[in-house]
Amino acid sequence: MDYKIIIGLGKATQIDSMIVQWPDLSFSKYLHPGLNRVYNLKQNEEKRYAPLSAKKIADHNTIFDSVKNNPIAPDSYRDGFEKHTEDDYVDFFYERNIPRMLSREGPKAAVGDVDGDSLEDVFIGGTAGHAGQLYLQKGDGKFMKKEEKGIEQFMDFEDVAVLLFDCDHDGDLDLLICPGGNNVSANSRQMQLRLFKNDGKGNFRLDAEAFPSNNANISVAVACDFDNDGDLDLFIGGRSVPQEYGLAPSSYIFVNDGKGHFTDMAKTKNPDIANIGMVTGAAWADVTGDAQKELIVVGEWMTPRIFSYNQSAKKFEELQNTNLQNLYGWWQTVTVADVNGDGKEDLLLGNIGKNFYLRPDSDHPIKLWVGDFDQNGITDKILTYTVNGKDKPVFLKHDLEDAMPLLKKNNLRHADYATKSVQELLPSETLNKAILRQFNYSASCVAINKGNGKFLVNELPAMIQLSSMNAIHCMDLNNDGYTDIVSGGNQFDFIPQLERLDASSGDVLLNDGKGNFKWIEATETGLDLKGELRDIVELDSKNKKYLLFLQNDEYPVLYELKRIPKEKDQ
């Protein structure tokens, strides 16, 4: 990009000041700069001021306080937890014209008492070359890593979705680990689902017969006894077909035989769920008030979808006319809580945010066209945005031509390409065979349950929309009986043209009891999470509450819930 920055001022004829922030966060201030002139600015020659960091507030005034678990830990550890370490795989080298990488979706964590000491332990998924880690809680926010040889033998796997649940009804928590990474083929050994059964003392053994084969990168696994037979069944959501962005991966509804062996019913009974799309999040909750939990699923290029199990038909049926059916988002997560105290479960939906390079709406959707447009056996992807009713390619001429050289013949000049829609670039008989996905809603929001399967959608505060909302954790932060929100986001793995989302440092939203949320300043929260946040889990000790934040390619960070906010914060 050009080093010269042009600032348009519209009708303004005078500027009060110009502030330049340097990479080290120091800044230079220029009072009443002149208009219509060029300034040459150099960091080392200008008068600079201290970094633009928010003023520090005394520790007793922050909601959370960082827990220092092990200050003398070796370089590979911080605060007692091992660093999540990604490899150097770059999706863009293997797939052309995709908007983002899907090989860096971890880490995720699962929480539960695995050794029967009444303290919650945590398992954190690993990456290729770095096996997942089991940490046993010793009280007061102290954790000790437990070596698990059975897990370590799968060190070449990439873990994403993880779940602790009692699969065999023996009273202890078993461990499910699901694959991701996007860097191995669909039929690879590294794509299998792994279920480790617990002996009740926190020792795990692989049950290799628990699941059939899998061919998808997995994003989420959630458990529920939806058929009321006394054992926990599973929904496992497919994130993507390995190395085939845009295709619908397999998702599963696994029925438990009571002994921890699972059979998929989605493929035969619910193909609409088996091929639901690029799933990013799911939850079980009673949103219809019939005392039976529904399955809520969200994903990229998807609308939030809700399914209720029909006991007589022995299949799931989708709720219609929810007021969510037209909200095609790049949804990142879904969490369920009663936020307005009316006894009905509401939906908290994390999206890509309104500060994203692509800013679609219902009249100007972003579309993804997927197909083998040049008949060379390779799946092509064309990303378009709507301009004056036309679907114009997002990516540049040479990007598309590198993948589809056939475009060069009729678009010799950039001026030719710039005026054309995708319908003018490709013949209709080819384009009509394409898989078409759309994205028309980018805001993170709360969907208030109005009953009868219908929801009222309210956007979350503007500060939340500055970045993606990747993880949402609900808890009452101030003992007022209302459900508050702790969340985090950021996405760094877009193609450079789409830039990156990095404006979140961890967010706190306080609830007024009516489902209206107020964003709290970062200096009041105590959170400092600048990375790509992937998961937030709550860990209860005997006398304290902790939140563990997991960021991609970073150390896990443990925070203690420290104080009740004053009335002025509410």
Side-chain angles (χ1 to χ4, degrees), residues 66-107:
S66 178
V67 176
K68 301 301 181 184
N69 231 342
N70 189 355
I72 57 172
D75 290 343
S76 60
Y77 289 79
R78 181 180 297 167
D79 303 339
F81 295 106
E82 185 171 342
K83 183 181 180 183
H84 179 264
T85 305
E86 282 287 358
D87 56 28
D88 58 359
Y89 182 86
V90 178
D91 303 41
F92 305 128
F93 295 166
Y94 304 93
E95 292 185 79
R96 310 305 295 269
N97 299 315
I98 59 175
R100 58 176 299 183
M101 295 197 292
L102 298 181
S103 61
R104 304 183 179 194
E105 297 283 282

Short mmCIF file of all heavy atoms in Angstrom, two decimals, residues 66-107:
data_model
loop_
_atom_site.label_atom_id
_atom_site.label_comp_id
_atom_site.label_asym_id
_atom_site.label_seq_id
_atom_site.Cartn_x
_atom_site.Cartn_y
_atom_site.Cartn_z
N SER A 66 -5.73 -11.04 36.92
CA SER A 66 -4.96 -12.13 36.35
C SER A 66 -4.30 -12.95 37.44
O SER A 66 -3.73 -12.42 38.39
CB SER A 66 -3.90 -11.57 35.39
OG SER A 66 -3.12 -12.60 34.85
N VAL A 67 -4.38 -14.27 37.32
CA VAL A 67 -3.80 -15.18 38.32
C VAL A 67 -2.43 -15.61 37.86
O VAL A 67 -2.26 -16.13 36.75
CB VAL A 67 -4.70 -16.42 38.51
CG1 VAL A 67 -4.06 -17.41 39.47
CG2 VAL A 67 -6.07 -16.00 39.02
N LYS A 68 -1.44 -15.38 38.70
CA LYS A 68 -0.09 -15.82 38.41
C LYS A 68 0.12 -17.17 39.07
O LYS A 68 0.30 -17.29 40.28
CB LYS A 68 0.95 -14.80 38.93
CG LYS A 68 0.77 -13.41 38.33
CD LYS A 68 0.90 -13.45 36.81
CE LYS A 68 0.75 -12.07 36.19
NZ LYS A 68 0.78 -12.11 34.72
N ASN A 69 0.07 -18.20 38.25
CA ASN A 69 0.10 -19.56 38.77
C ASN A 69 1.50 -20.04 39.12
O ASN A 69 1.73 -20.70 40.10
CB ASN A 69 -0.49 -20.50 37.71
CG ASN A 69 -1.56 -21.40 38.27
OD1 ASN A 69 -1.64 -21.58 39.49
ND2 ASN A 69 -2.37 -21.97 37.42
N ASN A 70 2.46 -19.70 38.25
CA ASN A 70 3.79 -20.25 38.40
C ASN A 70 4.81 -19.27 37.83
O ASN A 70 5.22 -19.39 36.68
CB ASN A 70 3.89 -21.61 37.68
CG ASN A 70 5.20 -22.31 37.99
OD1 ASN A 70 6.07 -21.76 38.65
ND2 ASN A 70 5.34 -23.52 37.50
N PRO A 71 5.22 -18.28 38.58
CA PRO A 71 6.07 -17.21 38.05
C PRO A 71 7.47 -17.66 37.62
O PRO A 71 8.17 -16.92 36.96
CB PRO A 71 6.16 -16.22 39.22
CG PRO A 71 5.87 -17.04 40.43
CD PRO A 71 4.90 -18.09 40.00
N ILE A 72 7.87 -18.87 38.01
CA ILE A 72 9.21 -19.33 37.61
C ILE A 72 9.12 -20.48 36.61
O ILE A 72 10.02 -21.30 36.48
CB ILE A 72 10.04 -19.76 38.84
CG1 ILE A 72 9.31 -20.86 39.63
CG2 ILE A 72 10.32 -18.57 39.73
CD1 ILE A 72 10.16 -21.46 40.75
N ALA A 73 8.01 -20.54 35.88
CA ALA A 73 7.82 -21.60 34.89
C ALA A 73 8.81 -21.44 33.74
O ALA A 73 9.26 -20.33 33.45
CB ALA A 73 6.40 -21.56 34.35
N PRO A 74 9.20 -22.54 33.06
CA PRO A 74 10.09 -22.44 31.89
C PRO A 74 9.43 -21.69 30.76
O PRO A 74 8.23 -21.39 30.79
CB PRO A 74 10.34 -23.91 31.52
CG PRO A 74 9.19 -24.66 32.11
CD PRO A 74 8.83 -23.92 33.36
N ASP A 75 10.23 -21.40 29.71
CA ASP A 75 9.74 -20.55 28.62
C ASP A 75 8.50 -21.12 27.92
O ASP A 75 7.70 -20.36 27.39
CB ASP A 75 10.85 -20.34 27.59
CG ASP A 75 11.98 -19.47 28.12
OD1 ASP A 75 11.74 -18.78 29.13
OD2 ASP A 75 13.06 -19.49 27.54
N SER A 76 8.36 -22.44 27.89
CA SER A 76 7.23 -23.04 27.20
C SER A 76 5.95 -22.98 28.01
O SER A 76 4.88 -23.36 27.55
CB SER A 76 7.53 -24.49 26.84
OG SER A 76 7.79 -25.24 28.01
N TYR A 77 6.04 -22.50 29.26
CA TYR A 77 4.85 -22.41 30.11
C TYR A 77 4.69 -20.97 30.61
O TYR A 77 5.64 -20.21 30.70
CB TYR A 77 4.99 -23.33 31.33
CG TYR A 77 4.90 -24.79 31.00
CD1 TYR A 77 5.98 -25.47 30.47
CD2 TYR A 77 3.71 -25.48 31.22
CE1 TYR A 77 5.89 -26.82 30.16
CE2 TYR A 77 3.62 -26.83 30.93
CZ TYR A 77 4.71 -27.49 30.40
OH TYR A 77 4.62 -28.82 30.09
N ARG A 78 3.47 -20.62 30.94
CA ARG A 78 3.21 -19.36 31.62
C ARG A 78 2.03 -19.59 32.56
O ARG A 78 1.00 -20.12 32.15
CB ARG A 78 2.88 -18.25 30.62
CG ARG A 78 2.63 -16.90 31.31
CD ARG A 78 2.31 -15.81 30.29
NE ARG A 78 3.43 -15.59 29.40
CZ ARG A 78 3.34 -14.88 28.28
NH1 ARG A 78 2.19 -14.36 27.92
NH2 ARG A 78 4.39 -14.71 27.50
N ASP A 79 2.21 -19.19 33.80
CA ASP A 79 1.17 -19.36 34.81
C ASP A 79 0.74 -20.82 34.92
O ASP A 79 -0.40 -21.12 35.25
CB ASP A 79 -0.04 -18.50 34.48
CG ASP A 79 0.32 -17.02 34.37
OD1 ASP A 79 1.37 -16.64 34.91
OD2 ASP A 79 -0.43 -16.28 33.74
N GLY A 80 1.67 -21.76 34.64
CA GLY A 80 1.38 -23.17 34.83
C GLY A 80 0.79 -23.86 33.62
O GLY A 80 0.66 -25.08 33.61
N PHE A 81 0.42 -23.11 32.58
CA PHE A 81 -0.20 -23.71 31.40
C PHE A 81 0.76 -23.66 30.22
O PHE A 81 1.46 -22.67 30.00
CB PHE A 81 -1.49 -22.97 31.03
CG PHE A 81 -2.57 -23.09 32.07
CD1 PHE A 81 -2.88 -22.02 32.89
CD2 PHE A 81 -3.27 -24.27 32.23
CE1 PHE A 81 -3.88 -22.12 33.85
CE2 PHE A 81 -4.26 -24.39 33.18
CZ PHE A 81 -4.57 -23.32 34.00
N GLU A 82 0.73 -24.71 29.43
CA GLU A 82 1.59 -24.77 28.25
C GLU A 82 1.03 -23.90 27.13
O GLU A 82 -0.19 -23.76 26.97
CB GLU A 82 1.71 -26.23 27.77
CG GLU A 82 2.68 -26.41 26.61
CD GLU A 82 2.94 -27.86 26.30
OE1 GLU A 82 2.66 -28.71 27.15
OE2 GLU A 82 3.44 -28.14 25.20
N LYS A 83 1.91 -23.33 26.33
CA LYS A 83 1.50 -22.47 25.23
C LYS A 83 0.86 -23.29 24.12
O LYS A 83 1.32 -24.39 23.79
CB LYS A 83 2.72 -21.71 24.67
CG LYS A 83 2.36 -20.73 23.55
CD LYS A 83 3.59 -20.02 23.01
CE LYS A 83 3.20 -19.06 21.89
NZ LYS A 83 4.37 -18.39 21.30
N HIS A 84 -0.19 -22.75 23.54
CA HIS A 84 -0.78 -23.32 22.33
C HIS A 84 0.10 -22.88 21.16
O HIS A 84 0.34 -21.69 20.96
CB HIS A 84 -2.21 -22.79 22.14
CG HIS A 84 -2.88 -23.30 20.92
ND1 HIS A 84 -2.92 -22.61 19.73
CD2 HIS A 84 -3.56 -24.46 20.69
CE1 HIS A 84 -3.58 -23.29 18.83
NE2 HIS A 84 -3.99 -24.42 19.38
N THR A 85 0.62 -23.84 20.40
CA THR A 85 1.61 -23.54 19.37
C THR A 85 1.12 -24.04 18.01
O THR A 85 0.96 -25.24 17.80
CB THR A 85 2.96 -24.19 19.70
OG1 THR A 85 3.38 -23.77 21.00
CG2 THR A 85 4.01 -23.82 18.67
N GLU A 86 0.89 -23.12 17.09
CA GLU A 86 0.46 -23.47 15.75
C GLU A 86 1.67 -23.81 14.86
O GLU A 86 2.80 -23.38 15.13
CB GLU A 86 -0.31 -22.31 15.11
CG GLU A 86 -1.75 -22.19 15.58
CD GLU A 86 -2.65 -23.28 15.02
OE1 GLU A 86 -2.16 -24.11 14.22
OE2 GLU A 86 -3.83 -23.29 15.38
N ASP A 87 1.40 -24.59 13.80
CA ASP A 87 2.44 -24.83 12.80
C ASP A 87 2.40 -23.71 11.77
O ASP A 87 1.67 -22.74 11.91
CB ASP A 87 2.26 -26.21 12.15
CG ASP A 87 0.87 -26.37 11.52
OD1 ASP A 87 0.28 -25.36 11.11
OD2 ASP A 87 0.38 -27.52 11.43
N ASP A 88 3.20 -23.85 10.71
CA ASP A 88 3.30 -22.77 9.72
C ASP A 88 2.48 -23.07 8.47
O ASP A 88 2.72 -22.50 7.40
CB ASP A 88 4.76 -22.51 9.35
CG ASP A 88 5.45 -23.76 8.79
OD1 ASP A 88 4.81 -24.83 8.71
OD2 ASP A 88 6.64 -23.67 8.43
N TYR A 89 1.49 -23.93 8.58
CA TYR A 89 0.62 -24.24 7.44
C TYR A 89 -0.20 -23.01 7.06
O TYR A 89 -0.79 -22.35 7.92
CB TYR A 89 -0.30 -25.40 7.79
CG TYR A 89 -1.21 -25.84 6.66
CD1 TYR A 89 -0.78 -26.77 5.72
CD2 TYR A 89 -2.51 -25.34 6.54
CE1 TYR A 89 -1.61 -27.18 4.68
CE2 TYR A 89 -3.34 -25.74 5.51
CZ TYR A 89 -2.89 -26.66 4.58
OH TYR A 89 -3.70 -27.06 3.55
N VAL A 90 -0.21 -22.69 5.78
CA VAL A 90 -0.96 -21.53 5.28
C VAL A 90 -1.96 -22.01 4.24
O VAL A 90 -1.59 -22.45 3.15
CB VAL A 90 -0.01 -20.48 4.66
CG1 VAL A 90 -0.81 -19.30 4.10
CG2 VAL A 90 1.00 -20.00 5.70
N ASP A 91 -3.23 -21.90 4.57
CA ASP A 91 -4.29 -22.41 3.69
C ASP A 91 -4.25 -21.80 2.30
O ASP A 91 -4.58 -22.47 1.31
CB ASP A 91 -5.66 -22.12 4.32
CG ASP A 91 -5.83 -22.71 5.70
OD1 ASP A 91 -4.87 -22.65 6.49
OD2 ASP A 91 -6.93 -23.19 6.01
N PHE A 92 -3.87 -20.52 2.21
CA PHE A 92 -3.91 -19.81 0.94
C PHE A 92 -2.94 -20.41 -0.09
O PHE A 92 -3.11 -20.18 -1.30
CB PHE A 92 -3.57 -18.33 1.14
CG PHE A 92 -4.45 -17.65 2.16
CD1 PHE A 92 -3.89 -16.93 3.20
CD2 PHE A 92 -5.83 -17.73 2.07
CE1 PHE A 92 -4.69 -16.30 4.14
CE2 PHE A 92 -6.64 -17.11 3.01
CZ PHE A 92 -6.07 -16.39 4.05
N PHE A 93 -1.93 -21.16 0.38
CA PHE A 93 -0.99 -21.79 -0.56
C PHE A 93 -1.62 -23.00 -1.24
O PHE A 93 -1.14 -23.44 -2.29
CB PHE A 93 0.27 -22.24 0.17
CG PHE A 93 1.09 -21.12 0.76
CD1 PHE A 93 2.09 -21.38 1.68
CD2 PHE A 93 0.88 -19.80 0.39
CE1 PHE A 93 2.85 -20.35 2.23
CE2 PHE A 93 1.63 -18.76 0.94
CZ PHE A 93 2.62 -19.05 1.85
N TYR A 94 -2.69 -23.53 -0.68
CA TYR A 94 -3.28 -24.77 -1.18
C TYR A 94 -4.70 -24.58 -1.72
O TYR A 94 -5.20 -25.43 -2.45
CB TYR A 94 -3.30 -25.82 -0.05
CG TYR A 94 -1.93 -26.06 0.52
CD1 TYR A 94 -1.47 -25.35 1.63
CD2 TYR A 94 -1.05 -26.96 -0.09
CE1 TYR A 94 -0.20 -25.55 2.14
CE2 TYR A 94 0.22 -27.15 0.41
CZ TYR A 94 0.65 -26.45 1.52
OH TYR A 94 1.92 -26.64 2.02
N GLU A 95 -5.35 -23.48 -1.33
CA GLU A 95 -6.68 -23.16 -1.85
C GLU A 95 -6.67 -21.72 -2.33
O GLU A 95 -6.30 -20.81 -1.60
CB GLU A 95 -7.74 -23.31 -0.76
CG GLU A 95 -7.99 -24.72 -0.29
CD GLU A 95 -9.14 -24.76 0.70
OE1 GLU A 95 -10.31 -24.73 0.27
OE2 GLU A 95 -8.87 -24.82 1.91
N ARG A 96 -7.10 -21.53 -3.55
CA ARG A 96 -7.09 -20.20 -4.13
C ARG A 96 -8.41 -19.49 -3.86
O ARG A 96 -9.48 -20.09 -3.86
CB ARG A 96 -6.84 -20.27 -5.64
CG ARG A 96 -5.65 -21.13 -6.05
CD ARG A 96 -4.37 -20.68 -5.35
NE ARG A 96 -3.97 -19.37 -5.74
CZ ARG A 96 -3.15 -19.11 -6.77
NH1 ARG A 96 -2.66 -20.09 -7.50
NH2 ARG A 96 -2.81 -17.87 -7.05
N ASN A 97 -8.33 -18.18 -3.65
CA ASN A 97 -9.50 -17.31 -3.55
C ASN A 97 -10.47 -17.70 -2.44
O ASN A 97 -11.69 -17.68 -2.61
CB ASN A 97 -10.23 -17.27 -4.90
CG ASN A 97 -9.36 -16.72 -6.01
OD1 ASN A 97 -8.68 -15.71 -5.82
ND2 ASN A 97 -9.34 -17.38 -7.15
N ILE A 98 -9.91 -18.04 -1.29
CA ILE A 98 -10.73 -18.23 -0.10
C ILE A 98 -10.54 -17.01 0.80
O ILE A 98 -9.47 -16.39 0.82
CB ILE A 98 -10.38 -19.53 0.65
CG1 ILE A 98 -8.90 -19.53 1.09
CG2 ILE A 98 -10.67 -20.74 -0.22
CD1 ILE A 98 -8.52 -20.72 1.95
N PRO A 99 -11.56 -16.61 1.57
CA PRO A 99 -11.44 -15.39 2.36
C PRO A 99 -10.61 -15.54 3.61
O PRO A 99 -10.04 -14.56 4.08
CB PRO A 99 -12.90 -15.07 2.73
CG PRO A 99 -13.61 -16.38 2.66
CD PRO A 99 -12.93 -17.16 1.57
N ARG A 100 -10.52 -16.76 4.16
CA ARG A 100 -9.83 -16.91 5.44
C ARG A 100 -9.27 -18.32 5.59
O ARG A 100 -9.68 -19.25 4.90
CB ARG A 100 -10.78 -16.62 6.59
CG ARG A 100 -12.00 -17.51 6.61
CD ARG A 100 -12.86 -17.27 7.82
NE ARG A 100 -12.16 -17.54 9.06
CZ ARG A 100 -12.71 -17.47 10.26
NH1 ARG A 100 -13.99 -17.14 10.38
NH2 ARG A 100 -12.03 -17.74 11.33
N MET A 101 -8.33 -18.45 6.52
CA MET A 101 -7.78 -19.75 6.84
C MET A 101 -8.65 -20.44 7.89
O MET A 101 -9.17 -19.80 8.80
CB MET A 101 -6.34 -19.63 7.37
CG MET A 101 -5.36 -19.10 6.36
SD MET A 101 -3.64 -19.41 6.83
CE MET A 101 -3.47 -18.35 8.26
N LEU A 102 -8.77 -21.76 7.76
CA LEU A 102 -9.52 -22.55 8.73
C LEU A 102 -8.62 -23.54 9.47
O LEU A 102 -9.12 -24.42 10.18
CB LEU A 102 -10.65 -23.32 8.03
CG LEU A 102 -11.72 -22.46 7.35
CD1 LEU A 102 -12.78 -23.35 6.71
CD2 LEU A 102 -12.36 -21.51 8.35
N SER A 103 -7.33 -23.39 9.32
CA SER A 103 -6.40 -24.34 9.94
C SER A 103 -6.02 -23.95 11.36
O SER A 103 -5.26 -24.68 12.01
CB SER A 103 -5.12 -24.45 9.09
OG SER A 103 -4.47 -23.19 9.00
N ARG A 104 -6.55 -22.83 11.85
CA ARG A 104 -6.13 -22.32 13.17
C ARG A 104 -7.35 -22.01 14.03
O ARG A 104 -7.51 -20.91 14.54
CB ARG A 104 -5.26 -21.08 12.98
CG ARG A 104 -4.06 -21.35 12.08
CD ARG A 104 -3.13 -20.18 11.93
NE ARG A 104 -2.01 -20.52 11.08
CZ ARG A 104 -0.90 -19.81 10.96
NH1 ARG A 104 -0.77 -18.69 11.65
NH2 ARG A 104 0.08 -20.20 10.16
N GLU A 105 -8.19 -23.02 14.22
CA GLU A 105 -9.46 -22.83 14.93
C GLU A 105 -9.35 -23.10 16.42
O GLU A 105 -10.29 -22.81 17.17
CB GLU A 105 -10.52 -23.75 14.33
CG GLU A 105 -10.84 -23.46 12.87
CD GLU A 105 -11.72 -22.24 12.69
OE1 GLU A 105 -12.93 -22.35 12.89
OE2 GLU A 105 -11.18 -21.17 12.33
N GLY A 106 -8.26 -23.66 16.89
CA GLY A 106 -8.11 -23.97 18.31
C GLY A 106 -7.41 -22.84 19.05
O GLY A 106 -7.04 -21.82 18.46
N PRO A 107 -7.26 -23.00 20.39
CA PRO A 107 -7.64 -24.17 21.18
C PRO A 107 -9.02 -24.02 21.82
O PRO A 107 -9.50 -22.92 22.03
CB PRO A 107 -6.57 -24.20 22.26
CG PRO A 107 -6.27 -22.75 22.50
CD PRO A 107 -6.41 -22.07 21.17
#
